[in-house]
Structures are given as structure tokens and as C-alpha cells.
Amino acid sequence: MSQRRRSVAVYPGSFDPITNGHVDIIGRGLAVFERVIIAVLVNAEKQPLFSTEERVRLIRQCFPGNPRVEVDTFSGLLVDYAQRVGATVIVRGLRAVSDFEYEFQMALMNRRLNPSIETVFMMPAESYSYVSSRLVKEVAELGGRVDKLVPALVAQELRARFPRRAPRRIGGGPRRTRG
Ligand code: PNS
């Protein structure tokens, strides 16, 4: 049995919501690992835009009928979750140098907690290097287009959450006077 056949990777995150950058990383993970478990963090402190159930549903809809992709939720320590589901690898995406410090700290902390689980960093296509769930939500809320940055279903959900309003005049602005 090849190494790939045996390896199960966990791809953890908030996924609020899943972006095309995440989808890109999952594709890369599938090229290397036999199974990728997308693990959505249940974080009671944060106020997510999408509930855990909605985030899971949106991710599942991105990978219909793919037996090598699993979507799950987790709370508590990531390494404990990984061990429980039989994963030996944690996949994280690295978009830019600015991601590195936080990711490096997390990887080393996770290694200290459980040295048998390896963190593997993957880089998304350059075209997604600036895409984050946080910016996508902000742009959508302010009426900008995010169609190319998130899966179609996510764009649809964001449009439903943030219906486009006519731009408001600020400070009265110049008004047309009648003839
Ligand atoms: O998408 P995000 O928000 O950058 O993902 C962060 C995540 C979920 C990977 C991270 O917060 C995490 O692993 N949380 C679980 C708690 C944990 O294990 N903490 C100690 C390791 S640093």
C-alpha cells in the first residue's frame, strides 16, 4: 500500500465561509493524501456569520459525492481530534509571509502536544493569495462582488445575507437643481 493510500489529513479551520482559496488547498491535499477531513472549528466565543451547521452544509455542497472528502466539526485540541479520527497530518494553507508567524507557532505547539502528527503547509494559487473569509464577508456586506472568490453557492448565500442596497448619499452630496 502506498504512503498516499494510508495517509489521512485533517484540514482544520473556521470556514466562515469556505472560499475558493480553501477549495484550492483541499484539491492540493487530495493530490497528496488519500482522505482529507475538513474539520470545522466549533468556537462558542466567536460570533460567526454562518452557523456551524451552515458552514458544514456549504462545504459538503462543494464536494458532492467525493468519498475522499469528509466534513466534520471539532472542538477542543486539534491534535486530539486528529488522533481520534486517525489522521497523521494537519494541512494548513499559507497565502503570504504574513500568515507564517501564526502558522509556525501553531505548528510547533501542535508538535509539542503530539509529535506523531505532522503539519504540512500548502500554498494556494497566487490568484487566491489575498482571499480570506474575513475580507470576503466585509466586501459582501459593503455591496461588492465576491463571485470569483467563493464557490457559487456561498456567493448566493452571501447575497441573501447582505442584499444589495442603493448607495446612500453621505453628507447630502451635490444635488441637481431644476432648470
Ligand atoms: O481558519 P482559522 O480560524 O485560521 O483556523 C484556526 C484553527 C481552527 C486551526 C485553530 O484555531 C485551532 O486549531 N483551534 C483548535 C484549538 C487548539 O488545538 N489550539 C492549540 C493549538 S495552537
Side-chain angles (χ1 to χ4, degrees):
M1 206 186 247
S2 73
Q3 192 62 35
R4 178 179 144 178
R5 291 251 148 245
R6 281 192 282 123
S7 49
V8 177
V10 168
Y11 180 43
S14 305
F15 302 104
D16 185 36
I18 186 168
T19 67
N20 284 345
H22 294 128
V23 173
D24 177 294
I25 295 290
I26 295 160
R28 288 172 202 280
L30 286 169
V32 177
F33 306 110
E34 174 50 21
R35 224 153 42 88
V36 175
I37 302 174
I38 304 163
V40 179
L41 176 71
V42 180
N43 190 343
E45 283 158 42
K46 274 195 189 172
Q47 275 291 313
L49 176 65
F50 293 100
S51 70
T52 310
E53 295 71 29
E54 288 169 327
R55 283 180 275 157
V56 166
R57 173 175 53 79
L58 286 170
I59 301 170
R60 286 211 174 111
Q61 285 170 337
C62 294
F63 302 93
N66 188 335
R68 293 173 54 217
V69 176
E70 217 175 282
V71 189
D72 196 5
T73 60
F74 81 105
S75 55
L77 284 179
L78 173 60
V79 287
D80 290 348
Y81 170 78
Q83 177 123 27
R84 215 164 45 243
V85 296
T88 52
V89 172
I90 292 169
V91 168
R92 290 288 288 171
L94 266 191
R95 289 164 299 191
V97 179
S98 51
D99 283 340
F100 184 75
E101 203 171 318
Y102 171 61
E103 294 296 336
F104 190 63
Q105 274 184 343
M106 274 209 304
L108 292 183
M109 181 61 81
N110 283 330
R111 180 184 285 167
R112 168 169 278 271
L113 292 167
N114 188 336
S116 67
I117 295 173
E118 202 61 59
T119 297
V120 169
F121 294 113
M122 294 187 144
M123 284 150 297
E126 292 108 277
S127 48
Y128 300 130
S129 60
Y130 62 94
V131 178
S132 70
S133 300
R134 184 180 62 80
L135 278 185
V136 159
K137 283 183 283 191
E138 186 174 317
V139 170
E141 183 167 12
L142 297 173
R145 295 187 74 103
V146 294
D147 304 48
K148 298 276 179 345
L149 310 180
V150 292
L153 283 161
V154 175
Q156 202 177 306
E157 295 265 345
L158 285 167
R159 275 195 299 272
R161 301 272 160 132
F162 303 121
R164 283 191 158 205
R165 281 171 262 143
R168 269 203 297 162
R169 266 176 205 275
I170 298 172
R175 287 179 193 277
R176 274 200 203 144
T177 46
R178 281 188 198 210

